[in-house]
């Protein structure tokens, strides 16, 4: 049997894949600094501000900061809504000489 209108028996189509949700007209959410460092005193009271973490999120874009829990199991630090790293528990450098942890930032669309 021979097919006269399409002897090679193939078809071509175009597939368009797009991201669901709002269109991305801004760059991906990212921290403004690759690494943040601060020196603190052991005597800093609970509630003290250590440093402020910033992202490239727009001024009206709400972002939420959180510390990866396995990096800081005793939760000595935490974040305010404005990206301020705060002392949550009394610091004891005899127990822990240095604190190093990862931070996750989310805006409800990406992290």
């Amino acid at each position: 049997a021979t097919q006269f209108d399409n002897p090679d028996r193939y078809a071509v189509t175009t597939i368009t894949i797009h991201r669901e949700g709002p269109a991305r007209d801004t760059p991906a959410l990212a921290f403004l600094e690759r690494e943040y460092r601060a020196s603190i005193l052991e005597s800093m009271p609970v509630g003290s501000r250590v440093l402020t973490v910033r992202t490239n999120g727009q001024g009206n874009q709400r972002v939420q900061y959180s510390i990866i829990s396995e990096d800081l199991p005793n939760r000595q630090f935490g974040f305010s809504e404005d990206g301020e790293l705060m002392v949550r528990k009394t610091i004891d450098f005899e127990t822990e000489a240095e604190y190093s942890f990862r931070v996750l930032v989310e805006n409800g669309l990406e992290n």
Side-chain angles (χ1 to χ4, degrees):
T2 303
Q3 185 174 343
F4 294 102
D5 59 342
N6 188 355
D8 294 330
R9 294 194 174 136
Y10 69 89
V12 177
T13 190
T14 301
I15 298 174
T16 303
I17 300 173
H18 67 277
R19 178 178 182 265
E20 286 195 35
R24 172 176 267 160
D25 51 353
T26 58
L29 184 61
F31 291 102
L32 294 182
E33 302 288 332
R34 180 168 168 73
E35 184 175 325
Y36 291 84
R37 291 181 173 268
S39 296
I40 62 172
L41 299 174
E42 190 174 45
S43 61
M44 282 186 87
V46 171
S48 296
R49 184 180 76 82
V50 176
L51 60 83
T52 303
V53 175
R54 296 282 182 221
T55 68
N56 64 344
Q58 303 297 330
N60 60 353
Q61 184 181 38
R62 298 295 286 169
V63 294
Q64 181 177 355
Y65 301 90
S66 57
I67 296 170
I68 307 295
S69 60
E70 62 260 20
D71 289 355
L72 195 66
N74 293 326
R75 299 175 50 117
Q76 293 89 339
F77 301 97
F79 279 98
S80 71
E81 291 180 4
D82 299 324
E84 293 184 344
L85 181 66
M86 311 290 285
V87 176
R88 271 203 176 147
K89 292 185 176 180
T90 304
I91 304 299
D92 183 3
F93 287 123
E94 291 174 8
T95 306
E96 191 80 33
E98 179 178 273
Y99 297 93
S100 179
F101 47 87
R102 296 170 292 165
V103 175
L104 174 69
V105 63
E106 300 175 279
N107 64 5
L109 301 173
E110 58 193 345
N111 54 13

